[in-house]
Amino acid sequence: MKVLMLNQKSGMLFEDIETYVTKTKTYQNNFILFPTDVYLNYCIERGFICGAQNIAQSDEKNQTGELTGKQINSIGAKYVIIGHSERRNNQKEGSDVLVNKFETAINNSLNIVYCIGESLVDYKLGNTSQIVSSQLKEVFNKVKVTGDVKLYIAYEPIWAIGTGLTPTTQEISNVSSVIIDYLKDNHIKIDGILYGGSVNNENIETLLNIENVDGFLIGGASNNYLKTIDICEKVNNSTK
Ligand code: PGA
C-alpha cells in the first residue's frame, strides 16, 4: 500500500488541530503526520505517528527558536522533512545546511523525508532530471544514511506546490526513474519515493496508478479532515 505523509505546514490553529485529530483518529494508522511543531506533542499523545517539518542543524542548546533533533526524538516524533522548497527558498537553505540537518537527524535516529524538485522555469527548459540529480548529489556526495534510519525521497516540483497543477503521471514516473537510477548507481538504499505537489482527494486515484512511486507528501489537502479521510479511504480501497 502507498505511504501517506501529511505536511500540514503552518496553517492550522489550535482549534483546527483539535477537530482534525478527533475526526481523523480512526485513520491514524494510515498516515504519518507532520503538524506544526507546537502541536507535535498533542498529536503524538493521541496516538498519531508524527514527524517534524524541520530540524536544527545541530543539537547545540543555544539556538533560540530552533527545534533540535534531540528534542524531536525526546517527544517521540519519528520523522523529519529536510530540503522542502519553501525552506530552500525562504530560508535560503543550501547544501551545507541540508547536510548538517541530515547528520543531526541520523544522530538522533530520525527517519528522513528529503524533498527535491525543479522550478517552473527549469521545468519549461526541460532541466528537471538535471536539477533533481544535482539535489540528490548535494547531500548524498557528503552524507551516508546509516543505521535503522529510513529514507524517503519526495519529488515535489515547486510549480506544483499549492497551485492545483500536477505533472502528468508519465512525467512523475520518469522523474522517479531518474531518482532510482541515481540511487542504484551510488549504492544508496531508500525506503520509498514519494510524489508531492497538489495531491488531493480528487486526483489521488489517478496518482495511485504510478507504479514507481511509493507514496505521497500532501500539504494543503492535509489541512482538511474531510479531504484527508477521503484520501485515506481511496488509498485503502485501492489495490495499488
Ligand atoms: P501541496 O503541498 O499539497 O499543498 O501542494 C505539498 C508540499 O509542499 O509538501
Side-chain angles (χ1 to χ4, degrees):
M1 189 149 59
K2 308 270 189 194
V3 181
L4 292 175
M5 307 245 186
L6 307 185
N7 174 16
Q8 291 187 322
K9 307 192 186 185
S10 309
M12 305 278 271
L13 302 182
F14 186 61
E15 65 225 46
D16 301 327
I17 197 82
E18 278 182 307
T19 308
Y20 187 91
V21 158
T22 309
K23 301 282 187 188
T24 61
K25 188 150 175 62
T26 49
Y27 295 87
Q28 67 181 185
N29 293 324
N30 292 184
F31 54 80
I32 292 149
L33 186 63
F34 295 80
T36 313
D37 289 346
V38 282
Y39 312 135
L40 266 171
N41 208 36
Y42 181 86
C43 298
I44 291 167
E45 280 178 348
R46 282 154 187 79
F48 288 76
I49 302 163
C50 288
Q53 296 173 17
N54 182 32
I55 181 170
Q57 291 187 60
S58 75
D59 284 322
E60 160 66 42
K61 288 179 190 161
N62 298 321
Q63 302 188 76
T64 304
E66 291 286 348
L67 191 60
T68 68
K70 223 172 178 175
Q71 291 177 306
I72 296 168
N73 187 322
S74 80
I75 57 164
K78 303 288 181 206
Y79 289 77
V80 287
I81 295 175
I82 299 177
H84 193 284
S85 60
E86 286 158 9
R87 295 199 62 87
R88 288 181 192 261
N89 293 335
N90 301 339
Q91 276 74 30
K92 305 285 173 249
E93 291 188 358
S95 178
D96 291 346
V97 170
L98 300 175
V99 168
N100 290 342
K101 291 187 173 200
F102 259 74
E103 280 168 355
T104 312
I106 295 163
N107 289 341
N108 289 288
S109 303
L110 295 166
N111 302 314
I112 296 168
V113 180
Y114 179 52
C115 299
I116 56 177
E118 82 287 1
S119 66
L120 184 59
V121 172
D122 281 314
Y123 171 72
K124 285 189 174 158
L125 289 170
N127 290 340
T128 301
S129 303
Q130 197 187 317
I131 297 290
V132 160
S133 302
S134 73
Q135 289 171 329
L136 292 169
K137 268 186 222 143
E138 73 181 335
V139 294
F140 296 121
N141 273 356
K142 297 187 192 144
V143 76
K144 193 166 164 32
V145 177
T146 50
D148 292 336
V149 172
K150 288 187 189 161
L151 174 63
Y152 290 86
I153 309 289
Y155 168 53
E156 297 205 307
I158 298 169
W159 54 270
I161 295 177
T163 58
L165 303 171
T166 57
T168 64
T169 53
Q170 188 57 54
E171 285 172 321
I172 297 171
S173 179
N174 291 348
V175 176
S176 188
S177 299
V178 170
I179 297 169
I180 291 166
D181 288 348
Y182 174 88
L183 298 168
K184 216 180 199 176
D185 291 347
N186 290 279
H187 312 288
I188 299 162
K189 192 189 113 335
I190 63 158
D191 294 84
I193 293 176
L194 313 176
Y195 167 74
S198 294
V199 178
N200 59 41
N201 53 320
E202 281 163 17
N203 59 21
I204 187 77
E205 282 165 312
T206 306
L207 295 168
L208 281 169
N209 291 317
I210 312 173
E211 297 211 338
N212 58 0
V213 163
D214 305 295
F216 303 96
L217 182 56
I218 304 176
S222 73
N223 280 219
N224 178 310
Y225 71 83
L226 289 172
K227 290 184 183 174
T228 301
I229 291 170
D230 200 13
I231 290 169
C232 289
E233 297 218 325
K234 284 175 174 161
V235 172
N236 286 346
N237 292 336
S238 160
T239 53
K240 304 286 179 186

mmCIF file of all heavy atoms in Angstrom, residues 7 9 81 84-86 115 156 160-164 196-199 217-221, ligand 1:
data_model
loop_
_atom_site.group_PDB
_atom_site.id
_atom_site.type_symbol
_atom_site.label_atom_id
_atom_site.label_comp_id
_atom_site.label_asym_id
_atom_site.label_seq_id
_atom_site.Cartn_x
_atom_site.Cartn_y
_atom_site.Cartn_z
ATOM 1 N N ASN A 7 1.984 16.892 5.345
ATOM 2 C CA ASN A 7 2.742 18.080 5.750
ATOM 3 C C ASN A 7 1.770 19.241 5.952
ATOM 4 O O ASN A 7 1.385 19.908 4.999
ATOM 5 C CB ASN A 7 3.766 18.409 4.650
ATOM 6 C CG ASN A 7 4.508 19.697 4.909
ATOM 7 O OD1 ASN A 7 4.499 20.216 6.028
ATOM 8 N ND2 ASN A 7 5.166 20.226 3.881
ATOM 9 N N LYS A 9 2.193 22.070 7.310
ATOM 10 C CA LYS A 9 2.802 23.406 7.220
ATOM 11 C C LYS A 9 2.356 24.294 8.384
ATOM 12 O O LYS A 9 2.334 23.830 9.519
ATOM 13 C CB LYS A 9 2.504 24.031 5.860
ATOM 14 C CG LYS A 9 2.890 23.109 4.699
ATOM 15 C CD LYS A 9 2.866 23.794 3.369
ATOM 16 C CE LYS A 9 3.122 22.798 2.266
ATOM 17 N NZ LYS A 9 3.216 23.415 0.948
ATOM 18 N N ILE A 81 11.306 16.316 7.883
ATOM 19 C CA ILE A 81 11.367 16.734 6.472
ATOM 20 C C ILE A 81 12.616 17.609 6.321
ATOM 21 O O ILE A 81 12.838 18.526 7.118
ATOM 22 C CB ILE A 81 10.113 17.540 6.073
ATOM 23 C CG1 ILE A 81 8.867 16.658 6.148
ATOM 24 C CG2 ILE A 81 10.274 18.124 4.662
ATOM 25 C CD1 ILE A 81 7.548 17.400 5.884
ATOM 26 N N HIS A 84 12.681 20.918 2.029
ATOM 27 C CA HIS A 84 11.436 21.387 1.401
ATOM 28 C C HIS A 84 11.718 22.684 0.641
ATOM 29 O O HIS A 84 12.443 23.548 1.120
ATOM 30 C CB HIS A 84 10.351 21.604 2.459
ATOM 31 C CG HIS A 84 9.002 21.767 1.839
ATOM 32 N ND1 HIS A 84 8.617 22.928 1.216
ATOM 33 C CD2 HIS A 84 7.970 20.894 1.696
ATOM 34 C CE1 HIS A 84 7.391 22.767 0.730
ATOM 35 N NE2 HIS A 84 6.977 21.543 1.004
ATOM 36 N N SER A 85 11.106 22.843 -0.521
ATOM 37 C CA SER A 85 11.404 24.011 -1.368
ATOM 38 C C SER A 85 11.060 25.322 -0.675
ATOM 39 O O SER A 85 11.684 26.349 -0.939
ATOM 40 C CB SER A 85 10.678 23.903 -2.701
ATOM 41 O OG SER A 85 9.295 23.847 -2.482
ATOM 42 N N GLU A 86 10.066 25.296 0.217
ATOM 43 C CA GLU A 86 9.723 26.546 0.906
ATOM 44 C C GLU A 86 10.870 26.986 1.807
ATOM 45 O O GLU A 86 11.123 28.177 1.966
ATOM 46 C CB GLU A 86 8.405 26.361 1.695
ATOM 47 C CG GLU A 86 7.220 26.330 0.736
ATOM 48 C CD GLU A 86 5.974 25.664 1.268
ATOM 49 O OE1 GLU A 86 5.896 25.331 2.454
ATOM 50 O OE2 GLU A 86 5.055 25.445 0.448
ATOM 51 N N CYS A 115 13.214 16.326 0.329
ATOM 52 C CA CYS A 115 12.433 16.889 -0.783
ATOM 53 C C CYS A 115 13.333 17.479 -1.861
ATOM 54 O O CYS A 115 14.288 18.195 -1.557
ATOM 55 C CB CYS A 115 11.530 18.013 -0.277
ATOM 56 S SG CYS A 115 10.341 17.486 0.949
ATOM 57 N N GLU A 156 8.945 16.870 -5.443
ATOM 58 C CA GLU A 156 7.921 17.916 -5.372
ATOM 59 C C GLU A 156 8.297 19.063 -6.302
ATOM 60 O O GLU A 156 9.079 19.953 -5.910
ATOM 61 C CB GLU A 156 7.818 18.470 -3.947
ATOM 62 C CG GLU A 156 7.392 17.458 -2.908
ATOM 63 C CD GLU A 156 6.735 18.145 -1.711
ATOM 64 O OE1 GLU A 156 7.337 19.070 -1.139
ATOM 65 O OE2 GLU A 156 5.617 17.771 -1.370
ATOM 66 N N ALA A 160 4.217 22.894 -8.725
ATOM 67 C CA ALA A 160 3.006 22.105 -8.441
ATOM 68 C C ALA A 160 2.548 22.283 -6.993
ATOM 69 O O ALA A 160 1.441 21.884 -6.637
ATOM 70 C CB ALA A 160 3.279 20.625 -8.718
ATOM 71 N N ILE A 161 3.395 22.893 -6.168
ATOM 72 C CA ILE A 161 3.063 23.004 -4.734
ATOM 73 C C ILE A 161 2.030 24.104 -4.511
ATOM 74 O O ILE A 161 2.271 25.279 -4.835
ATOM 75 C CB ILE A 161 4.333 23.264 -3.892
ATOM 76 C CG1 ILE A 161 5.261 22.044 -3.978
ATOM 77 C CG2 ILE A 161 3.973 23.579 -2.446
ATOM 78 C CD1 ILE A 161 6.576 22.193 -3.261
ATOM 79 N N GLY A 162 0.871 23.689 -4.016
ATOM 80 C CA GLY A 162 -0.184 24.638 -3.667
ATOM 81 C C GLY A 162 -0.832 25.346 -4.853
ATOM 82 O O GLY A 162 -1.553 26.317 -4.674
ATOM 83 N N THR A 163 -0.582 24.874 -6.043
ATOM 84 C CA THR A 163 -1.084 25.580 -7.233
ATOM 85 C C THR A 163 -2.269 24.883 -7.895
ATOM 86 O O THR A 163 -2.917 25.458 -8.768
ATOM 87 C CB THR A 163 0.024 25.670 -8.308
ATOM 88 O OG1 THR A 163 0.443 24.321 -8.620
ATOM 89 C CG2 THR A 163 1.206 26.476 -7.828
ATOM 90 N N GLY A 164 -2.508 23.644 -7.514
ATOM 91 C CA GLY A 164 -3.553 22.881 -8.196
ATOM 92 C C GLY A 164 -3.040 22.235 -9.488
ATOM 93 O O GLY A 164 -3.771 21.520 -10.167
ATOM 94 N N GLY A 196 4.899 14.758 -4.346
ATOM 95 C CA GLY A 196 4.158 15.812 -3.653
ATOM 96 C C GLY A 196 3.955 17.001 -4.565
ATOM 97 O O GLY A 196 4.794 17.298 -5.434
ATOM 98 N N GLY A 197 2.854 17.693 -4.371
ATOM 99 C CA GLY A 197 2.518 18.871 -5.184
ATOM 100 C C GLY A 197 1.079 18.765 -5.637
ATOM 101 O O GLY A 197 0.782 18.030 -6.578
ATOM 102 N N SER A 198 0.183 19.460 -4.893
ATOM 103 C CA SER A 198 -1.247 19.497 -5.233
ATOM 104 C C SER A 198 -1.924 18.122 -5.272
ATOM 105 O O SER A 198 -2.859 17.913 -6.051
ATOM 106 C CB SER A 198 -1.467 20.240 -6.556
ATOM 107 O OG SER A 198 -1.113 21.597 -6.397
ATOM 108 N N VAL A 199 -1.443 17.214 -4.438
ATOM 109 C CA VAL A 199 -2.156 15.933 -4.312
ATOM 110 C C VAL A 199 -3.407 16.200 -3.472
ATOM 111 O O VAL A 199 -3.350 16.855 -2.435
ATOM 112 C CB VAL A 199 -1.285 14.872 -3.605
ATOM 113 C CG1 VAL A 199 -2.060 13.563 -3.440
ATOM 114 C CG2 VAL A 199 0.014 14.642 -4.367
ATOM 115 N N LEU A 217 3.409 13.015 -0.492
ATOM 116 C CA LEU A 217 3.588 14.043 0.541
ATOM 117 C C LEU A 217 2.530 15.108 0.248
ATOM 118 O O LEU A 217 2.544 15.717 -0.831
ATOM 119 C CB LEU A 217 5.008 14.615 0.459
ATOM 120 C CG LEU A 217 5.396 15.674 1.493
ATOM 121 C CD1 LEU A 217 5.205 15.186 2.930
ATOM 122 C CD2 LEU A 217 6.859 16.107 1.302
ATOM 123 N N ILE A 218 1.628 15.287 1.190
ATOM 124 C CA ILE A 218 0.431 16.083 0.914
ATOM 125 C C ILE A 218 0.372 17.302 1.835
ATOM 126 O O ILE A 218 0.418 17.160 3.058
ATOM 127 C CB ILE A 218 -0.834 15.214 1.100
ATOM 128 C CG1 ILE A 218 -0.719 13.967 0.208
ATOM 129 C CG2 ILE A 218 -2.092 16.015 0.785
ATOM 130 C CD1 ILE A 218 -1.856 12.970 0.367
ATOM 131 N N GLY A 219 0.263 18.489 1.245
ATOM 132 C CA GLY A 219 0.220 19.728 2.015
ATOM 133 C C GLY A 219 -1.206 20.206 2.238
ATOM 134 O O GLY A 219 -1.893 19.783 3.170
ATOM 135 N N GLY A 220 -1.671 21.078 1.365
ATOM 136 C CA GLY A 220 -2.975 21.739 1.524
ATOM 137 C C GLY A 220 -4.119 20.804 1.910
ATOM 138 O O GLY A 220 -4.874 21.096 2.845
ATOM 139 N N ALA A 221 -4.242 19.688 1.226
ATOM 140 C CA ALA A 221 -5.374 18.777 1.488
ATOM 141 C C ALA A 221 -5.300 18.170 2.890
ATOM 142 O O ALA A 221 -6.315 17.722 3.433
ATOM 143 C CB ALA A 221 -5.428 17.671 0.427
HETATM 144 P P1 PGA B 1 0.560 20.884 -1.530
HETATM 145 O O1 PGA B 1 1.956 20.902 -0.756
HETATM 146 O O2 PGA B 1 -0.016 19.506 -1.381
HETATM 147 O O3 PGA B 1 -0.264 21.941 -0.838
HETATM 148 O O4 PGA B 1 0.841 21.224 -2.946
HETATM 149 C C1 PGA B 1 2.827 19.813 -0.797
HETATM 150 C C2 PGA B 1 4.083 20.117 -0.037
HETATM 151 O O5 PGA B 1 4.552 21.269 -0.093
HETATM 152 O O6 PGA B 1 4.643 19.250 0.650
#
